[in-house]
Amino acid sequence: MPSEPGTARIAVDLLGGDDAPAVVVDGALRALRADPDLHLLLVGPTEVADGLTGALDPAQRARVTVRPVRAAVGMADHPTAARGDSTVRTAVQAVHDGLADAVVSAGSTGATVTAAALGLGRWTGVRRPALVATIPAVEGPVVLLDVGGTLEPGPATLARHAVLGAAYAAVAHAVHAPRVGLLSVGHEAGKGDRLRRSADPALAAVPLPCGARYVGLVEGYDISLGARADVVVTDGFTGNVLLKAIEGAYAMAGGPPANGGAPRAAALLGVAGTVVVCHGAAGPDDVASGIALAAHLWRRDAAGTVRALLAEIPHEPAPDRNDTEVAP
């Protein structure tokens, strides 16, 4: 993602990810060199951070600070481990305290979502935050959510996510009057499982921001084409599986379409701050992409603008109570 003007201070979880800290350090180094207005707060062991700062020239080194933390939440740990002293919790706390503008982690998704929800708070009307990824489709970017925040949502949660996705597409990607679809096994009304059949009328009834409109059910190929919908809503289980399948298909084909990069990171919507989650198998380029995305969202005040748009849309007074959040 091309860098934009304006200082952005990003807190980076050095110990998050399958191959951390090496790939995180490498990715942070690439991001810092690519963006002259980027400042990094490295959260992790001092000796790990020294490996990054030692490779920088004095001017670049001046844009890096370190917060020493040795504990990390493992990929197999329960998300509640984020409540304790850890790199991801400390990175989130830095945003809460005004020491950083955004946080990036490639660690446990569940732990990152938990740390962000507890440390930053949820938006009014959002019980379950959503992870949002942008897919480079043939006819333009397609916003896909949820890709791992809530595994088993109810219809009211999916309707709320439709509002989040429409606002995000307009704010983060300048999509005019986004078209919103619900992922299912066919275009025809009534297709799909119980959740899809219940959510379809819920999405049709919810008011959408930014001139967005609901176009009904869409299929998997509509995501890669981008001709039918700009925003595709689904549950976190299906979305996460689909996202990783798309990443694998890009790898087999030699890379993503020329008009957009691979979805290397996802933004967390619904918490009071800018949070970006890279997948656990992230490489250096993925981490650098996640940091660039966090800076982009901060500079556009995407979280604040989406939150303001959300506040204008009526919300269900009694949202789904049986939603299941993502595990590590």
Side-chain angles (χ1 to χ4, degrees), residues 216-269:
L217 303 179
V218 299
E219 298 184 65
Y221 59 77
D222 291 315
I223 296 174
S224 57
L225 296 177
R228 182 172 170 81
D230 306 297
V231 177
V232 175
V233 178
T234 190
D235 60 277
F237 181 91
T238 303
N240 189 271
V241 171
L242 176 60
L243 180 65
K244 291 174 180 176
I246 290 172
E247 291 172 347
Y250 287 156
M252 291 180 62
N259 64 335
R264 291 171 170 162
L268 182 64
L269 293 182

Side-chain angles (χ1 to χ4, degrees), residues 293-319:
L293 174 61
H296 167 75
L297 296 176
W298 165 255
R299 286 162 176 158
R300 288 200 171 192
D301 187 25
T305 305
V306 171
R307 182 178 187 176
L309 291 169
L310 184 73
E312 299 174 0
I313 305 298
H315 66 277
E316 282 285 337

Side-chain angles (χ1 to χ4, degrees), residues 194-216:
R194 181 180 301 174
L195 174 60
R196 253 50 61 163
R197 294 195 302 271
S198 299
D200 185 25
L203 267 68
V206 69
L208 297 174
C210 306
R213 59 187 177 90
Y214 179 58
V215 297

